[in-house]
Amino acid sequence: MEERIEEFITYLGQVRGLSDNTVLSYRRDLLRFKNYLNAELEISDFKEVTPTHLEDYFCMLEQEKKAATVSRHMCSVRALYRYLVKMYLVKEDITERLHMPGVQRDMPEVLTVEEAKALVEQPSGAGPRQLRDRAILELMYATGVKVSELVALKVSDVNLRLGFLHCREGGKERVIPFGNCARAALLQYLDEGREALLTDERCEILFVNYTGAAMTRQGVWKLIRRYGELAGIQKEVNPHSLRHAFAAHLIENGADLQSVQEMMGHADMAATQIYAAARRPGKREAYSRNHPRK
């Protein structure tokens, strides 16, 4: 059984390209599951596991762990069984009928789709700063990037032809798709706005301020807060607002939890579960089908 788990872990890292932390989390959860099967049930093959065995295992975990941790273990086991079915190592996915335990975590106040639309459409002029601000807001809502990731972006990190953003922070990397609204705003900013703000043509930073230097986190906070006020939004509006809206609106429209987890860069599934739970069609499919501004 451990051999199958290690094969799956290799698949997650080399084929799926998940981060080291995410892969280690899966491995810990699945080895715990395997040890339970071996020690408590004397089961040495995943083919021998039944839905009742799974229910007993997760009932046991619920007595020991918080709901968020149990949900993470459940996601790990589900992912393993999808892999085993795909590789014809088991006949059926016996995890399909498992129910996620309730996660006791506060849901952040999320902008409605209408509020998010009003916010990102506030910069509507043709000046370089307005083009930049529109591109910033569209991209943040389209990808859920953190403000620290946004200000570090280089022009080369954006693939306009394929509609992907290459995001790096703290030694971690992820690729996030974005839709036509963000692409159009970025194209207009790059064609008509960025050059007017630059003071050094060698600058690689995507978003620059009026001095031609990289935007700061504080600068992005201020502009988002200002546009929130102009949009008449009564809720607190900041960079987190767009990140939360990105995840919540995708899932509300049917995106699966694991795709959103990967796009958000969450190491722990529990961090994504505050938004909802769903099935997994794949990142690009999940994005193009479900983001309100595709």
Side-chain angles (χ1 to χ4, degrees), residues 143-154 157 165-170 172 174 176 207 217 243 263-265:
T143 62
V145 293
K146 293 179 283 189
V147 67
S148 57
E149 296 170 327
L150 179 94
V151 298
L153 287 173
K154 297 179 180 179
D157 291 327
L165 179 70
H166 195 177
C167 192
R168 304 176 181 87
E169 187 183 50
K172 300 178 183 177
R174 68 186 190 280
I176 315 169
F207 294 114
R217 288 177 294 178
R243 183 165 163 83
M263 287 185 276
M264 291 284 279

Side-chain angles (χ1 to χ4, degrees), residues 21-46:
N21 284 342
T22 301
V23 170
L24 287 173
S25 178
Y26 275 104
R27 189 173 188 275
R28 283 194 300 268
D29 293 348
L30 294 174
L31 288 177
R32 170 74 187 273
F33 177 53
K34 183 215 52 121
N35 290 339
Y36 169 84
L37 295 175
N38 292 166
E40 302 295 329
L41 303 176
E42 297 184 347
I43 290 176
S44 58
D45 192 317
F46 287 114

Side-chain angles (χ1 to χ4, degrees), residues 29 32 58-74 100-105 268 270 273:
D29 293 348
R32 170 74 187 273
F58 288 110
C59 282
M60 180 270 294
L61 281 186
E62 286 178 348
Q63 304 303 313
E64 303 176 0
K65 307 288 185 181
K66 294 181 179 180
T69 303
V70 177
S71 293
R72 192 199 69 220
H73 278 263
M74 195 173 289
M100 289 286 186
V103 178
Q104 302 301 314
R105 187 178 292 202
D268 192 334
Q273 287 168 339

Side-chain angles (χ1 to χ4, degrees), residues 160-215:
L160 288 169
R161 185 174 65 85
L162 297 179
F164 279 96
L165 179 70
H166 195 177
C167 192
R168 304 176 181 87
E169 187 183 50
K172 300 178 183 177
E173 299 185 19
R174 68 186 190 280
V175 175
I176 315 169
F178 57 81
N180 291 329
C181 291
R183 180 188 286 109
L186 283 165
L187 273 171
Q188 192 170 14
Y189 164 63
L190 289 170
D191 289 345
E192 305 171 26
R194 183 173 178 272
E195 187 173 349
L197 296 171
L198 285 177
T199 56
D200 184 352
E201 293 183 356
R202 295 170 297 177
C203 177
E204 298 180 352
I205 294 297
L206 177 61
F207 294 114
V208 295
N209 61 24
Y210 68 94
T211 69
M215 292 282 293

Side-chain angles (χ1 to χ4, degrees), residues 173-280:
E173 299 185 19
R174 68 186 190 280
V175 175
I176 315 169
F178 57 81
N180 291 329
C181 291
R183 180 188 286 109
L186 283 165
L187 273 171
Q188 192 170 14
Y189 164 63
L190 289 170
D191 289 345
E192 305 171 26
R194 183 173 178 272
E195 187 173 349
L197 296 171
L198 285 177
T199 56
D200 184 352
E201 293 183 356
R202 295 170 297 177
C203 177
E204 298 180 352
I205 294 297
L206 177 61
F207 294 114
V208 295
N209 61 24
Y210 68 94
T211 69
M215 292 282 293
T216 65
R217 288 177 294 178
Q218 293 83 356
V220 176
W221 272 79
K222 288 178 181 178
L223 77 84
I224 290 177
R225 186 177 294 114
R226 176 164 58 88
Y227 286 122
E229 293 172 356
L230 291 173
I233 299 171
Q234 299 302 309
K235 302 168 184 173
E236 181 180 355
V237 179
N238 56 50
H240 298 304
S241 304
L242 288 169
R243 183 165 163 83
H244 292 319
F246 162 78
H249 296 170
L250 278 174
I251 294 176
E252 284 172 8
N253 284 282
D256 68 285
L257 198 62
Q258 195 168 355
S259 289
V260 176
Q261 178 198 7
E262 292 175 11
M263 287 185 276
M264 291 284 279
H266 288 156
D268 192 334
M269 179 68 77
T272 317
Q273 287 168 339
I274 59 172
Y275 302 105
R279 301 176 183 173
R280 174 178 176 76

